[in-house]
């Protein structure tokens, strides 16, 4: 009887043990599924910006640039580039807001205001920054922008700012036109604001995130993509096989990585600053605010020599700064002879028999838009491309002109781009035969402002290699680089596209392409010098001057 009783008891215990084991395994699986669903909330299609911390995913970004293998020469170049930017670094100690830079109480003085000025003279300006308690600051690091201008003459030029790291700055201007010239100094960011910007570059490269749609049949999924992805979830590796440019997407749950359909900007992360840090980013307080003069803010410049004309003379100064200036709303280069393309026939004559390739972001897409609008014979061929994305194609069959535009590869903050249209500039350059009839223009800067500088250096290095190969096989090819430009800023835009980020990228761009055999359209000076408000996409008058410079490279003045 006891034996008969033990058998059911034994089976009951065994059954209970199995139930417990199954329950534990099931709970573990449910916890794992719950972890995935929480993460999926971050990569949901709702478009809401959800802080990463709310997802429960630890921040362990995998950044492809950290794993690149560099040659000794590349390591030295990268170190040199990063070292050259140290002058842009700010004072690092955290201070209360009242001790930060107050543009309204800061001031500037024209040091040699009583001097006799003529075209070609140097003008020196001393800037003293003060805090909100009216006390002079004892350290530097503020980001200032400076220009001289004559509104009646529609003239303007930029100044060179020197930081003495003690709260004082000197600004040097070259006076390049006669008449009444006014000085303008603007505080873009106080040093206390700049203190946090490198941290965002290094620690929050995912603050702009991207998405891709994966689809197979009726099943579709959307996941987050980036150069750097947080957490330890499985990823799809879309690193370019030829250039090695890294790009990753979180792996869909049900679909293979090969089912990716498109790429688009997902959104911007919020809550990047503490309340104390946010005080350093306030519109109408300390973002792009003017610093006024404590005395006269203008000087009178007379023509060089005894000429009676009021027009400026061509400057032959050995100094390369500024590269040019506006006069009567036209850009005057100080380095080479420019001419104006004021009629469509002028552009048609210059571009006849040529293939023009425009690669990059929306700032060079403006060149395409201007050309097809201004030149009636240049007719856009409808490729069915998404608006403002491309690729675009325009032709003039009568004059044998072909004009193309294609956006650069990721990261690109455009609306939906099909995956098979994500072409890297370096790969496109390798497909071009080149020659006397080929013109290439490149603009690549704005979409890299949220990433560590190494990401941008890698991209430019790949493009530079392709440019060198192109010029080696076809030396008559004209290659033009459009630089970065200044833009309007607010508290939020400053964290993603500040001019402080842009000037870093611009410095790197100029150094990396120095001596390569390319031409530069100095969009930085051309936007900073002009009297119009700063915009990410400059107004048409500035675009027109950029194209005049571009076309002057393609069709130089014969001497």
């Amino acid at each position: 009887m006891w034996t008969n009783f033990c058998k059911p008891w034994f089976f009951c215990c065994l059954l209970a043990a199995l139930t417990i084991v199954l329950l534990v395994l099931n709970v573990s699986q449910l916890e794992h599924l719950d972890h995935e669903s929480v993460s999926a909330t971050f990569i949901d299609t709702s478009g809401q910006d959800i802080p990463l911390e709310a997802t429960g995913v630890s921040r362990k970004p995998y950044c492809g640039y950290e794993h690149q293998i560099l040659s000794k020469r590349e390591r030295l170049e990268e170190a040199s580039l990063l070292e050259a930017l140290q002058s842009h670094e700010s004072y690092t100690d955290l201070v209360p807001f009242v001790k930060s830079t107050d543009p309204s109480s800061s001031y500037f003085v024209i040091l040699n205001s009583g001097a006799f000025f003529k075209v070609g003279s140097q003008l020196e300006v001393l800037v003293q920054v003060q805090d909100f308690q009216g006390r002079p600051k004892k350290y530097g690091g503020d980001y200032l922008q400076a220009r001289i201008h004559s509104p009646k003459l529609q003239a303007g030029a930029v100044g060179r700012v020197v930081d003495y790291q003690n709260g004082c700055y000197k600004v040097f201007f070259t006076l390049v036109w006669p008449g009444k010239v006014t000085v303008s100094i603007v505080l873009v960011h106080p040093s206390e604001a700049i203190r946090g910007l490198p941290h965002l570059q290094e620690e929050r490269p995912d603050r702009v995130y991207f998405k891709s749609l994966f689809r197979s049949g009726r099943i579709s999924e959307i996941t987050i993509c980036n150069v750097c992805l947080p957490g330890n979830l499985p990823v799809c590796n879309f690193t370019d096989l030829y250039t090695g440019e890294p790009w990753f997407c979180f792996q869909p749950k049900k679909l293979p990585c090969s089912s990716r359909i498109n790429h688009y900007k997902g959104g911007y992360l919020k809550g990047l600053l503490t309340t104390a840090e946010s005080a350093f980013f306030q519109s109408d307080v300390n973002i792009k605010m003017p610093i006024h003069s404590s005395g006269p803010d203008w000087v009178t410049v007379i023509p060089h020599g005894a000429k009676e004309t009021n027009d400026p003379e061509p400057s032959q100064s050995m100094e390369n700064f500024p590269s040019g200036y506006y006069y009567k709303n036209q850009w005057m280069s100080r380095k080479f002879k420019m001419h104006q393309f004021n009629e469509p026939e002028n552009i048609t004559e210059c571009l006849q028999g040529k293939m023009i390739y425009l690669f990059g972001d929306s700032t060079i897409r403006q060149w395409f838009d201007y050309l097809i609008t201004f030149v009636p014979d240049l007719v856009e061929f409808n490729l069915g491309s998404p608006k403002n994305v491309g690729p675009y194609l325009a032709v003039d069959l009568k004059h044998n002109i072909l004009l193309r535009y294609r956006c650069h590869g990721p990261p690109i903050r455009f609306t939906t781009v099909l995956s098979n249209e994500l072409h890297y500039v370096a790969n496109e350059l390798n497909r071009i035969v080149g020659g006397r009839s080929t013109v290439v223009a490149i603009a690549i800067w704005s979409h890299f402002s949220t990433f560590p500088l190494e990401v941008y250096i890698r991209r430019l290095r790949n493009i530079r290699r392709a440019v060198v190969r192109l010029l080696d096989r076809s030396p008559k090819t004209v290659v033009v680089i459009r630089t970065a430009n200044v833009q309007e800023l607010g508290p939020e835009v400053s964290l993603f596209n500040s001019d402080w980020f842009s000037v870093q990228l611009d410095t790197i761009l100029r150094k990396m392409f120095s001596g390569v055999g390319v031409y530069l359209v100095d969009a930085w000076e051309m936007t900073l010098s002009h009297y119009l408000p700063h915009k990410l996409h400059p107004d048409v008058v500035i675009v027109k001057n950029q194209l005049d410079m571009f076309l002057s490279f393609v069709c130089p003045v014969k001497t």
Side-chain angles (χ1 to χ4, degrees), residues 42-43 214 223-225 229-231 233-236 248-252:
F42 179 65
I43 58 178
F214 295 78
T223 71
I224 291 290
C225 306
L229 286 177
L233 297 179
V235 298
C236 294
F248 306 95
C249 294
F250 282 127
Q251 184 176 319

Side-chain angles (χ1 to χ4, degrees), residues 438-548:
T438 302
V439 181
V440 175
I442 303 168
I444 179 166
W445 59 278
S446 179
H447 300 258
F448 289 80
S449 60
T450 57
F451 295 96
L453 295 173
E454 291 87 346
V455 175
Y456 188 60
I457 293 172
R458 167 195 272 270
R459 183 63 57 91
L460 291 189
R461 187 183 294 123
N462 281 322
I463 294 174
R464 185 178 61 187
R465 285 178 183 145
V467 167
V468 170
R469 285 193 292 265
L470 173 60
L471 294 177
D472 279 347
R473 64 178 176 268
S474 303
K476 298 296 183 180
T477 307
V478 175
V479 180
V480 180
I481 307 291
R482 182 202 186 278
T483 72
N485 60 257
V486 294
Q487 59 184 296
E488 70 276 23
L489 294 179
E492 186 171 12
V493 176
S494 297
L495 305 183
F496 303 97
N497 267 50
S498 169
D499 285 353
W500 186 83
F501 292 134
S502 299
V503 76
Q504 288 188 317
L505 302 181
D506 195 59
T507 301
I508 290 173
L509 174 75
R510 293 168 190 266
K511 287 182 176 294
M512 290 190 69
F513 279 93
S514 175
V516 175
V518 302
Y519 299 98
L520 283 184
V521 171
D522 200 333
W524 187 267
E525 287 195 24
M526 296 176 83
T527 51
L528 184 55
S529 300
H530 206 274
Y531 58 84
L532 286 172
H534 296 170
K535 292 183 179 180
L536 174 60
H537 301 108
D539 284 345
V540 65
V541 63
I542 300 177
V543 175
K544 191 266 183 191
N545 279 286
Q546 291 175 1
L547 277 165
D548 283 346

Side-chain angles (χ1 to χ4, degrees), residues 15 178 190 363 413 553:
L15 182 60
T363 60
R413 300 177 213 156
F553 292 139

Side-chain angles (χ1 to χ4, degrees), residues 143-313:
Y143 179 29
L144 306 178
Q145 290 176 348
R147 72 183 180 105
I148 49 175
H149 55 101
S150 298
K152 290 184 178 180
L153 298 174
Q154 295 179 310
V158 301
R160 186 179 74 247
V161 180
V162 176
D163 184 354
Y164 288 97
Q165 299 296 324
N166 60 0
C168 291
Y169 302 80
K170 259 192 181 180
V171 187
F172 299 89
F173 298 98
T174 300
L175 300 172
V176 286
W177 67 84
K180 180 180 178 180
V181 177
T182 303
V183 175
S184 174
I185 308 292
V186 171
L187 173 73
V188 182
H189 292 303
S191 58
E192 295 77 17
I194 294 175
R195 174 185 174 276
L197 295 181
H199 172 77
L200 291 177
Q201 267 184 320
E202 296 295 331
E203 302 298 328
R204 302 310 302 262
D206 58 339
R207 62 190 185 280
V208 175
Y209 59 92
F210 305 84
K211 294 182 178 181
S212 275
L213 170 67
F214 295 78
R215 179 188 295 154
S216 179
R218 296 183 178 181
I219 302 175
S220 62
E221 297 181 62
I222 296 176
T223 71
I224 291 290
C225 306
N226 220 321
V227 174
C228 305
L229 286 177
N232 301 306
L233 297 179
V235 298
C236 294
N237 188 348
F238 295 113
T239 297
D240 184 67
L241 295 178
Y242 187 83
T243 64
E245 292 288 350
W247 193 253
F248 306 95
C249 294
F250 282 127
Q251 184 176 319
K253 299 174 186 175
K254 301 177 182 179
L255 297 175
C257 295
S258 59
S259 62
R260 183 172 68 145
I261 300 296
N262 61 29
H263 162 95
Y264 59 97
K265 181 184 71 177
Y268 300 85
L269 295 183
K270 310 294 184 182
L272 296 170
L273 300 178
T274 65
T275 303
E277 291 171 331
S278 298
F280 303 130
F281 295 90
Q282 298 185 63
S283 296
D284 300 324
V285 176
N286 49 19
I287 297 179
K288 283 210 170 180
M289 292 296 294
I291 294 177
H292 298 291
S293 173
S294 65
D297 63 352
W298 59 274
V299 297
T300 299
V301 182
I302 65 172
H304 184 73
K307 287 191 174 183
E308 296 180 359
T309 176
N310 288 327
D311 287 342
E313 293 185 342

Side-chain angles (χ1 to χ4, degrees), residues 328-341:
K328 296 180 180 178
N329 232 5
Q330 292 184 348
W331 184 252
M332 318 288 284
S333 174
R334 300 177 69 220
K335 297 183 178 180
F336 71 100
K337 180 67 175 177
M338 267 182 64
H339 56 133
Q340 309 300 318
F341 294 79

